[in-house]
Amino acid sequence: MTPPPARRRRTGAPERSYPRRGSVRRAQMITTYGVGSLVAVDNESFIVTGTDSWNISDAPTVFEHRLARVLGVKSFRLPPASDDTSKDGVHVRRFPLWHSCPKCASLQHVRQFNSPAGKNECGDCEEDLVPSRFVMACGKGHIDDFPYWKWAHRNNRQEGETGLCGGQMRLRAGGKTASLRSILISCTCGVPEVSMEGAFTGTALSDLKVFCSGKRPWLKDAPTDRCSERPRTLQRGSSVAWQPIVRTALSIPPWSDEHFTKLATDFDALRELHVAGNRAGIEIYLKAITVREKYEFSVEKVMALLEAENHEDAGAEGEVTSDSAFVRLRKQEYERLIAGQPEKETGREDQFVCEHPLSSAAELDPYGVTGPMLVKRLREVRALKAFSRVDTPETRTDVHEVALSLKELDWLPAMEVQGEGVFLRLDEERVDDWARSVAVAARADRMRDNHTRMMRERAQDPDSVPDSPASPRMVLLHTLAHALINEWSLDGGYPAASLRERLYASDTMAGILICTATSDSAGSLGGLVAQGEPDRLRTSLDSALDRARWCSADPLCVESAGSGVGGINMAACHACVLLPETSCEHNNGLLDRALLIGTPEDPSIGFFSDVLRH
C-alpha cells in the first residue's frame, strides 16, 4: 500500500486549530439548529453538542410553571448568546467526518487530507474540502458517516469481507444533473465505478450487512449504544435528519401575574412553607424579598398562587401519560381565554391581558362565531424537549425521543414569544348539528382512515396506534384558522410565517387562537388585535370564505379524494389553505376547505354554506 504523503506545513501556520464561529439566532436553537442537528457554516458542517456542554452562566432563565411541571424540570434557559469576547455559547463538533476534494476527487476521512492547521482544505490541492452529502441514521437517533467503502465494494464479496483493499476512494459528478445516478464512487483498487442510485431504499444498507453503529457524536464521551434498528441513508440537510420535539404553553393567570414573575426563583421555598401550614413564615419571607425586589407583595395573592399550585397537584394525580397532562394544559388555557382578564385588573408586568371587543358580537351570529376575545398581551414559551431522526411525530406515534444530554439536568432550552392574538369560538350546538350530516361524517371518516393507516404503516407496533384526531370539528377549526391566517397576511399586512394557530378542538372545546408566532416585532403593535373587532372580523370571514370558494388548482383540488402526506388532506393545497409549516400545529395535515364552503356538487356540507348563499 502506498504510504500517505508527508504532512505539509505552511510557513507561519499556527499549530493549533482556530474555533469556527457561526451566527445562529436563539429561536433557531429551538426549532432549526437544536442539539443533535447539523449546521452548515460556510463550506463546513458541524453537529450541535448536548446541553450538558453548553455554557449557560449568562443565559437568562425563563419561567413557565405549568409547562415546567409537565416536562419535569425546574425552569428553562434561553440558548446562550455570545460575542467575540464572551465565553458563552453553544459548542459544535465537525460532522460528517468524510470529506471530498472537488479538484482531485479524493474521498476519505478529513484527517487524511493533511490539511494545514486551522483550515479545512486539501493539503495537496489547496482546495476547500466538501463535507459528505450523505450520512446514515436510525430511528433511535444514532447517526454516523455513510459507509462509502462498503458501498463501492459491494459487488466484490472477497474484499468486502476482509475490509481492506489498499486503494484510494474517489467521488465525482458524472453528469449534468445532481441526481444520485450522476454521483459516482470509485476506488483505485480496480473495482467497477458505482453510482449512489439505490442508496436511499429502506434495505440498501442492511443488504450490505451494515448495521447501526450506535454512535451519538453530539454527546461528549457518550458510550456506543447497542442498537438493533435498521440504518437509513439520509442527505445531510434533510428535514428528517433532525426533527425537534417542541412543547408549548401560554402564560395564564395566576402564573402570568407579576407577583409570580418576581417570585419564580423563590417559589419552591414558599411552597414548602405553605405545605407546612406556616403562614407567618410566608409573610416574613415576603418581607425579605420585598427589600431585594423593591416590590410590594400582596400576601393574599401569594396565598392564592400557592393554593393554585395545590390544585395543580390534585389535577395531575389522575394522569397516566404526558399526553393527558398536555391536554389539561390546553383545557386550562381555553377556559382562561373564555373568561378573559381586563387590562384594568392587571399590573404593568402581567403577561396576560384578554378582553371582550368594544362592540357587540351579535353580527357574527350568522357565522356561528361566538365569544371573540382580544388577547392584547400574550406570552408563549416553547421548550425543546427532545428530537428525533428518520421518523417524525407527525408520521409516527411511537417516535423515539432522543435525549438532549447524558446527564439529568433540571432545565431545558426554551424561547419565549410575547405578542398578541385573537381568540374565537364556534357555537358547539351548531357544530354538532352540522357534524351529524352523513356527507360531512363521510369526508372526516375518509381523512381519519387515511391518517390511521399511515400511522400503522410507520409504527413499530400497529396495535398501539392511538385514534386519529381527525373529526369534523377538528378539521373545521383547523381549516378556518388557516383561512384566517391567509386572509390577515393579505389584508392586515402580516407575513403568514409571523402568525401561528393554536387549536382547542375536543368534545368540550371548539376554539382557535391566532397569535404572533415570532419573537421579533412583526405584528406586536396592536394590528392583530384590531382584526378581532366584530365588524372587521366579519369582513375578514366574508373575504376568507370567498377566497376559499375557488382555488387555482380547481377542480382537481376540490375533487381530491386525498392529498398531502398519506392522503390525510382532502380539498387543500398550496394555492388555497396550506401555510408555512411553522404556523401550523399539525404540519399542514388534516385540512379540508370543502367543510368550510361545500363542494359544487353538495354545497350543504360546508359549515358556512348558509352565509355564502346570502
Side-chain angles (χ1 to χ4, degrees):
M1 183 174 69
T2 304
R7 186 178 180 87
R8 185 177 62 177
R9 295 283 185 186
R10 295 183 179 179
T11 304
E15 294 296 326
R16 63 185 180 88
S17 295
Y18 291 108
R20 266 65 172 181
R21 287 189 179 272
S23 179
V24 174
R25 297 192 305 272
R26 275 176 161 166
Q28 290 180 307
M29 294 301 301
I30 307 299
T31 58
T32 311
Y33 298 122
V35 172
S37 66
L38 298 176
V39 184
V41 180
D42 294 331
N43 62 324
E44 301 180 70
S45 176
F46 302 92
I47 191 167
V48 180
T49 60
T51 51
D52 49 5
S53 68
W54 291 13
N55 186 348
I56 59 168
S57 56
D58 296 328
T61 301
V62 177
F63 293 100
E64 175 44 53
H65 190 68
R66 297 164 59 245
L67 185 60
R69 284 172 56 91
V70 173
L71 295 178
V73 296
K74 290 184 178 180
S75 63
F76 305 102
R77 303 297 291 266
L78 281 176
S82 62
D83 53 33
D84 292 337
T85 61
S86 172
K87 293 183 179 179
D88 238 11
V90 176
H91 299 282
V92 296
R93 294 190 179 94
R94 187 183 301 281
F95 186 85
L97 297 179
W98 274 65
H99 287 53
S100 61
C101 174
K103 187 172 182 179
C104 65
S106 293
L107 174 65
Q108 57 191 353
H109 195 284
V110 66
R111 293 178 181 174
Q112 298 175 343
F113 278 100
N114 292 317
S115 301
K119 294 188 177 182
N120 189 47
E121 63 181 37
C122 180
D124 296 326
C125 306
E126 299 183 2
E127 289 284 337
D128 290 335
L129 298 177
V130 179
S132 168
R133 279 180 55 186
F134 310 105
V135 296
M136 72 172 189
C138 78
K140 289 189 177 180
H142 304 125
I143 191 168
D144 201 356
D145 285 275
F146 181 80
Y148 285 105
W149 194 93
K150 288 192 175 182
W151 182 258
H153 294 79
R154 64 183 186 271
N155 296 323
N156 190 326
R157 298 186 179 275
Q158 184 176 357
E159 292 181 353
E161 292 173 358
T162 62
L164 296 173
C165 70
Q168 173 65 51
M169 301 287 295
R170 295 282 188 266
L171 181 148
R172 69 180 184 89
K176 297 181 180 180
T177 67
S179 66
L180 294 177
R181 183 177 296 179
S182 299
I183 302 175
L184 303 174
I185 311 296
S186 63
C187 182
T188 56
C189 71
V191 295
E193 189 175 52
V194 298
S195 73
M196 288 294 295
E197 187 177 18
F200 284 78
T201 60
T203 61
L205 297 180
S206 57
D207 290 344
L208 292 178
K209 296 183 179 180
V210 174
F211 306 104
C212 178
S213 63
K215 291 184 178 180
R216 295 173 288 175
W218 66 94
L219 297 177
K220 184 179 180 181
D221 301 327
T224 300
D225 289 340
R226 297 188 63 181
C227 182
S228 59
E229 285 280 316
R230 177 185 297 171
R232 295 284 302 272
T233 303
L234 301 176
Q235 290 208 58
R236 173 164 50 90
S238 169
S239 61
V240 295
W242 186 84
Q243 278 286 321
I245 298 177
V246 179
R247 297 290 182 259
T248 68
L250 300 181
S251 294
I252 60 174
W255 313 113
S256 60
D257 188 276
E258 61 183 346
H259 268 57
F260 179 74
T261 59
K262 294 182 179 299
L263 289 173
T265 56
D266 302 282
F267 194 75
D268 288 340
L270 289 169
R271 183 184 179 189
E272 292 179 3
L273 293 172
H274 183 262
V275 171
N278 190 354
R279 181 185 175 97
I282 293 175
E283 294 178 357
I284 295 173
Y285 199 106
L286 289 177
K287 288 180 181 179
I289 301 176
T290 300
V291 177
R292 184 190 71 197
E293 296 289 342
K294 297 180 180 180
Y295 180 83
E296 193 66 31
F297 290 96
S298 166
V299 177
E300 297 305 322
K301 284 189 175 182
V302 173
M303 295 300 294
L305 273 171
L306 295 170
E307 289 295 337
E309 174 74 3
N310 289 340
H311 183 70
E312 287 279 318
D313 289 336
E317 289 179 356
E319 295 168 354
V320 295
T321 64
S322 60
D323 290 340
S324 58
F326 286 110
V327 170
R328 176 171 56 85
L329 294 187
R330 194 62 65 100
K331 180 66 174 178
Q332 291 172 348
E333 295 172 7
Y334 183 71
E335 293 172 350
R336 176 50 65 176
L337 287 166
I338 293 175
Q341 178 163 280
E343 188 169 9
K344 63 182 180 181
E345 298 179 5
T346 63
R348 186 175 61 180
E349 297 184 23
D350 278 17
Q351 297 168 334
F352 183 83
V353 175
C354 182
E355 298 182 328
H356 292 279
L358 297 177
S359 57
S360 172
E363 59 183 303
L364 298 174
D365 290 343
Y367 299 83
V369 175
T370 180
M373 299 293 286
L374 310 181
V375 189
K376 296 183 176 180
R377 198 181 304 165
L378 183 69
R379 175 178 179 262
E380 181 187 17
V381 174
R382 303 173 189 167
L384 178 63
K385 177 188 178 185
F387 68 90
S388 66
R389 299 197 199 276
V390 180
D391 303 308
T392 66
E394 290 80 15
T395 59
R396 182 167 172 173
T397 56
D398 57 346
V399 63
H400 182 79
E401 297 186 356
V402 185
L404 303 182
S405 67
L406 282 177
K407 304 175 183 177
E408 289 289 337
L409 303 178
D410 62 357
W411 61 274
L412 287 172
M415 60 172 289
E416 57 182 350
V417 175
Q418 298 188 12
E420 58 188 359
V422 175
F423 172 74
L424 57 89
R425 289 178 293 148
L426 296 183
D427 187 316
E428 293 191 41
E429 292 186 3
R430 180 170 169 179
V431 171
D432 290 339
D433 291 341
W434 163 80
R436 294 188 188 100
S437 167
V438 175
V440 170
R443 291 186 73 91
D445 288 344
R446 185 179 302 173
M447 297 172 67
R448 182 166 52 251
D449 292 343
N450 290 344
H451 191 206
T452 302
R453 184 183 67 253
M454 182 188 70
M455 290 190 294
R456 285 179 176 170
E457 289 174 351
R458 304 190 180 194
Q460 290 183 340
D461 183 7
D463 295 331
S464 65
V465 172
D467 294 334
S468 169
S471 65
R473 176 180 294 198
M474 183 269 173
V475 176
L476 171 64
L477 290 167
H478 191 195
T479 312
L480 176 61
H482 278 229
L484 283 174
I485 289 176
N486 275 328
E487 175 63 26
W488 288 339
S489 70
L490 297 171
D491 182 60
Y494 296 96
S498 72
L499 301 179
R500 181 178 174 88
E501 68 179 5
R502 195 167 181 85
L503 302 180
Y504 300 90
S506 70
D507 294 338
T508 58
M509 297 187 291
I512 57 175
L513 171 67
I514 298 175
C515 57
T516 51
T518 59
S519 55
D520 59 18
S521 60
S524 61
L525 301 176
L528 181 58
V529 166
Q531 302 293 329
E533 289 292 343
D535 55 340
R536 301 196 65 169
L537 183 54
R538 178 171 182 171
T539 301
S540 296
L541 285 168
D542 283 337
S543 180
L545 295 174
D546 186 59
R547 292 180 192 276
R549 295 175 70 175
W550 177 252
C551 169
S552 60
D554 280 341
L556 295 178
C557 179
V558 75
E559 293 178 356
S560 172
S563 62
V565 178
I568 61 176
N569 289 335
M570 294 287 283
C573 70
H574 285 283
C576 50
V577 295
L578 296 191
L579 292 175
E581 291 185 357
T582 54
S583 300
C584 178
E585 286 195 315
H586 293 277
N587 204 28
N588 275 329
L590 306 179
L591 295 163
D592 183 14
R593 64 185 173 91
L595 295 186
L596 294 180
I597 46 88
T599 62
E601 294 77 15
D602 188 2
S604 65
I605 66 172
F607 180 80
F608 299 100
S609 58
D610 292 340
V611 179
L612 294 173
R613 282 199 292 267
H614 292 86

